[in-house]
Amino acid sequence: MTKNEWGQLKQELKKTVGSNNFTTWIAPLEFDDVAGEVASFSVPTSFFGNYVAQTFGDQILYHLRAIDPSIRRVNFAVPTSASNDPQAPQTPKAQRAKSPATDPAPEAAGDARIPTAPLDPRFKFDTFVVGKPNELAHAAAKRVAEGGPVTFNPLFLYGGVGLGKTHLMHAIAWELQEQQPGLNVVYLSAEQFMYRFVQALRERKMMDFKEMFRSVDVLMVDDVQFIAGKDSTQEEFFHTFNALVDQRKQIIISADCAPGEIENLEERIRSRLQCGLVVDLHPTNYELRLGILQSKVEYYRGQYPDLMLADGVLEFLAHRITKNVRVLEGALTRLFAFASLVGQEITLELTQDCLADVLRASERQVTIEEIQRQVSEHYNIRLSDLVGPKRLRVYARPRQMAMFLCKQMTSRSLPEIGRRFGGRDHTTVMHGVRRIEELSRKDVQIAEDIELLRRTLEE
Ligand code: ADP
Ligand code: MG
């Protein structure tokens, strides 16, 4: 490919990525050369390279292959003179764009091969920590990765954001490619599937598209909920799916919820997705989070040999950051980067300081409704009376208690709280909050009620 051809191709890309993305991410790319299967581009920073590789790598590769089908990988690298990149993350992610992540088994290469999306080199089985919440999903993934006769088709993995679906899928792909290099394993997101489908439609290459997908040995489609409501993509996905199942080829699907819960998904697809093995990744528990943190720390010790970590820090993080593993990892990365920058031991205090925003954001958000429900249950009154107009003490006191808890436990303003209590004025809310504060100092029963309610709500 020549620089000129890249210039033309860029204009093509502009149409698909939009002009903002184009100006920010595509225009600055400098085409260097094609060596073997790899097309190389220079990027200003490695963060930039990572982002482009993750977000547009697939599209760029697709366009490049239209000009030169021998290209199988795209490499975004910072020219060596400029590689002192202060923005570069401290994790191996920085190497991601440069590493030979896409390696679709050259031995069996043929023109009809679909470039699989880049596999993250960190997402392998040996870096996946197994605990109660994910042991079933892990076992199923392991089984599929053995590549034996297809016993359940598809394997459907589902679970909330950041619980390890993509990690497990990449791990399967890595393992299969390692064990059976000739196998045509294709991993892609549902979004990429749709992108390729639309592209094929536009270029009138539907036959090629069908043929490519029908020649796959193992197909993995990540985040399949994405195609819900997108009718023609669903239709095509359904046909691809059936063709592969008929040929007894393994299919692995992930989604953020169970097949039956994906809205706007055609009934026949839903039922096909349910015919294999459906396993979910449950929210993490404390032990799993701690295990993941410990394994990451092992890894960081290699990167920061002088690292000092006080007792209790990991336990603290595992307790406090419960949302998802990605957030947990991000917190640890930031903590270590910060500590190495200031050259201090990572203490609890430093942790609280450095991660104040993350810790605040992952505090469980209690809603006004929950508080109202809990309080009316506790005092054995109806919810409608709690927020209604009655002024009798049996209603007024619990109402004040609920207002007090709303003020303390949510970030809602007084007028907002007032509105949610039958449209009361903010001064009424303020009065209620003060009243409970006063009472809690002299009335043991009230103080106990507060404590009990707060604890129940925080669970
Ligand atoms: P999902 O696809 O479910 O949203 P990912 O697979 O992208 O989540 O996981 C988010 C991050 O958390 C990744 O960096 C992944 O490596 C990490 N992660 C999730 N679960 C585990 C686990 N059990 N052990 C180690 N790392 C994990
Ligand atoms: Mg994912």
Side-chain angles (χ1 to χ4, degrees):
M1 196 182 68
T2 62
K3 293 216 178 213
N4 228 340
E5 283 176 312
W6 167 241
Q8 287 166 9
L9 197 156
K10 265 209 240 185
Q11 294 312 311
E12 276 297 302
L13 276 165
K14 188 173 188 170
K15 287 183 214 148
T16 55
V17 302
S19 61
N20 275 341
N21 278 330
F22 178 82
T23 316
T24 318
W25 302 107
I26 308 293
L29 296 176
E30 267 187 52
F31 172 66
D32 294 329
D33 58 6
V34 178
E37 304 179 338
V38 187
S40 297
F41 293 85
S42 295
V43 289
T45 65
S46 53
F47 167 77
F48 191 104
N50 280 328
Y51 186 82
V52 173
Q54 274 180 36
T55 320
F56 306 112
D58 204 47
Q59 296 180 36
I60 294 174
L61 182 61
Y62 193 91
H63 282 282
L64 289 171
R65 282 173 58 85
I67 296 181
D68 181 353
S70 70
I71 298 175
R72 296 185 162 273
R73 292 209 298 269
V74 192
N75 180 20
F76 302 97
V78 183
T80 30
S81 58
S83 63
N84 271 342
D85 172 16
Q87 286 187 63
Q90 305 281 339
T91 67
K93 239 186 192 153
Q95 295 147 21
R96 182 132 114 197
K98 295 173 208 153
S99 70
T102 319
D103 207 343
E107 299 83 303
D111 276 338
R113 279 213 153 184
I114 315 162
T116 174
L119 297 177
D120 193 313
R122 298 168 307 162
F123 292 179
K124 300 199 175 166
F125 279 118
D126 58 9
T127 51
F128 191 82
V129 181
V130 184
K132 262 254 159 298
N134 60 22
E135 63 182 346
L136 229 80
H138 174 260
K142 268 292 213 197
R143 168 61 66 81
V144 170
E146 285 168 7
V150 176
T151 44
F152 32 78
N153 217 3
L155 168 61
F156 189 100
L157 295 170
Y158 75 92
V161 179
L163 297 181
K165 300 181 293 293
T166 299
H167 189 136
L168 279 178
M169 289 180 107
H170 285 209
I172 297 172
W174 282 117
E175 183 102 351
L176 283 169
Q177 284 185 357
E178 210 166 280
Q179 303 296 329
Q180 308 175 48
L183 212 61
N184 189 3
V185 179
V186 170
Y187 163 86
L188 77 182
S189 65
E191 191 176 1
Q192 288 160 336
F193 179 86
M194 183 179 88
Y195 176 76
R196 289 186 182 155
F197 168 63
V198 171
Q199 179 97 4
L201 277 181
R202 194 166 51 217
E203 294 174 353
R204 300 176 202 282
K205 289 189 179 150
M206 268 320 286
M207 286 311 288
D208 293 355
F209 177 89
K210 283 181 191 295
E211 200 174 306
M212 279 198 315
F213 273 96
R214 309 262 191 294
S215 69
V216 162
D217 293 317
V218 178
L219 177 66
M220 311 196 186
V221 182
D222 205 349
D223 290 319
V224 81
Q225 74 278 354
F226 179 85
I227 62 164
K230 307 199 167 69
D231 293 342
S232 46
T233 305
Q234 277 193 49
E235 175 86 22
E236 188 55 37
F237 175 75
F238 181 68
H239 293 310
T240 308
F241 186 96
N242 287 340
L244 290 172
V245 170
D246 287 345
Q247 295 178 56
R248 304 194 58 75
K249 301 292 173 63
Q250 180 73 58
I251 298 176
I252 302 151
I253 305 280
S254 86
D256 61 1
C257 56
E261 289 162 7
I262 306 177
E263 274 173 37
N264 296 319
L265 193 67
E266 269 186 59
E267 196 43 51
R268 53 183 188 162
I269 300 188
R270 190 174 305 214
S271 60
R272 282 239 81 162
L273 290 176
Q274 280 163 334
C275 354
L277 177 65
V278 178
V279 276
D280 60 341
L281 289 138
H282 296 277
T284 57
N285 57 18
Y286 172 76
E287 288 76 21
L288 179 60
R289 289 194 295 274
L290 189 60
I292 291 173
L293 287 170
Q294 281 162 344
S295 92
K296 303 278 168 200
V297 167
E298 281 307 303
Y299 167 78
Y300 280 113
R301 288 211 189 277
Q303 291 207 327
Y304 306 98
D306 306 327
L307 187 89
M308 291 195 301
L309 182 64
D311 284 346
V313 168
L314 296 184
E315 287 77 4
F316 171 78
L317 290 176
H319 263 303
R320 291 290 302 272
I321 304 182
T322 54
K323 206 154 176 207
N324 78 49
V325 183
R326 195 170 298 134
V327 176
L328 196 64
E329 279 184 350
L332 200 65
T333 307
R334 195 159 117 196
L335 191 58
F336 283 25
F338 182 72
S340 81
L341 212 63
V342 297
Q344 282 177 18
E345 177 182 5
I346 300 178
T347 58
L348 212 53
E349 206 184 349
L350 184 105
T351 304
Q352 277 165 333
D353 214 33
C354 167
L355 299 176
D357 55 337
V358 184
L359 293 169
R360 214 175 311 120
S362 61
E363 267 164 31
R364 204 175 90 67
Q365 292 294 315
V366 180
T367 64
I368 294 184
E369 286 76 32
E370 282 174 288
I371 294 174
Q372 290 174 335
R373 205 167 351 99
Q374 201 62 48
V375 171
S376 45
E377 237 170 68
H378 181 82
Y379 290 106
N380 217 354
I381 62 174
R382 272 201 295 259
L383 190 59
S384 55
D385 287 331
L386 186 81
V387 300
K390 294 183 186 157
R391 284 160 179 245
L392 289 171
R393 159 110 26 116
V394 284
Y395 307 121
R397 191 70 85 223
R399 188 178 300 138
Q400 290 174 333
M401 174 65 88
M403 289 173 171
F404 168 82
L405 290 168
C406 287
K407 183 78 197 89
Q408 280 222 324
M409 299 185 72
T410 75
S411 51
R412 303 285 164 203
S413 64
L414 294 175
E416 169 76 22
I417 297 172
R419 263 196 301 283
R420 306 284 283 280
F421 280 80
R424 287 178 160 81
D425 195 71
H426 77 276
T427 49
T428 313
V429 181
M430 196 151 62
H431 171 76
V433 173
R434 294 228 176 100
R435 188 84 191 107
I436 298 293
E437 274 169 3
E438 280 165 26
L439 285 173
S440 69
R441 275 180 235 120
K442 42 190 190 203
D443 186 332
V444 188
Q445 186 58 51
I446 291 278
E448 266 175 20
D449 286 353
I450 295 177
E451 239 347 87
L452 188 70
L453 281 163
R454 204 208 311 263
R455 236 180 297 135
T456 330
L457 284 161
E458 266 170 0
E459 261 167 20

